[in-house]
Amino acid sequence: MSQDPNCIFCKIVDGKIPARKVFEDEQMLAFHDIAPWAPVHILIIPKQHIASMAETGPEHAGLLGHMMTVGVRLMAELGVTNGFRTIVNTGADGGQEVGHLHLHFMGGPRPWARG
């Protein structure tokens, strides 16, 4: 599986940096965000290093669908019952801060209303 030795998310996948994991399988990893914007805020990343959503193609359709459906299930398992927000920042102009594809799933009472 392709990894970038300088990527913080690849280091999390490799176990070199700890994370509060909520799910892991052979394709992806889900963990709590270290700077949450909501009562429940998880990140879902592919284990393969893919720099951003702009780097995906038809060969990634199964992976992307898997990441989305597992995210929905995890939000329910984490007690989010009244809706949630899913965000994928892509590239510098899209607000992406880490150069590894990641999906934000945020839920809880009005998680996007920052105080």
Side-chain angles (χ1 to χ4, degrees):
M1 192 167 301
S2 171
Q3 297 292 327
D4 177 341
N6 299 312
C7 172
I8 190 169
F9 287 169
C10 288
K11 290 177 183 179
I12 290 172
V13 168
D14 289 343
K16 295 176 182 172
I17 295 176
R20 290 179 42 222
K21 297 178 185 179
V22 292
F23 179 85
E24 183 174 12
D25 66 14
E26 65 284 343
Q27 297 180 72
M28 57 170 261
L29 176 65
F31 54 94
H32 290 277
D33 193 295
I34 62 168
W37 281 42
V40 177
H41 184 170
I42 61 172
L43 300 178
I44 298 181
I45 64 171
K47 287 188 170 181
Q48 173 187 3
H49 182 81
I50 303 170
S52 76
M53 186 63 82
E55 302 295 319
T56 63
E59 68 275 18
H60 299 107
L63 171 65
L64 295 171
H66 179 57
M67 292 169 68
M68 292 294 288
T69 58
V70 169
V72 170
R73 188 185 83 222
L74 292 175
M75 293 307 279
E77 289 176 6
L78 292 168
V80 176
T81 59
N82 199 30
F84 55 88
R85 182 174 271 190
T86 306
I87 299 172
V88 183
N89 299 317
T90 303
D93 287 343
Q96 185 176 357
E97 295 178 1
V98 176
H100 186 119
L101 173 64
H102 56 286
L103 284 64
H104 295 260
F105 279 79
M106 297 182 287
R110 300 188 47 85
W112 31 91
R114 290 195 61 130

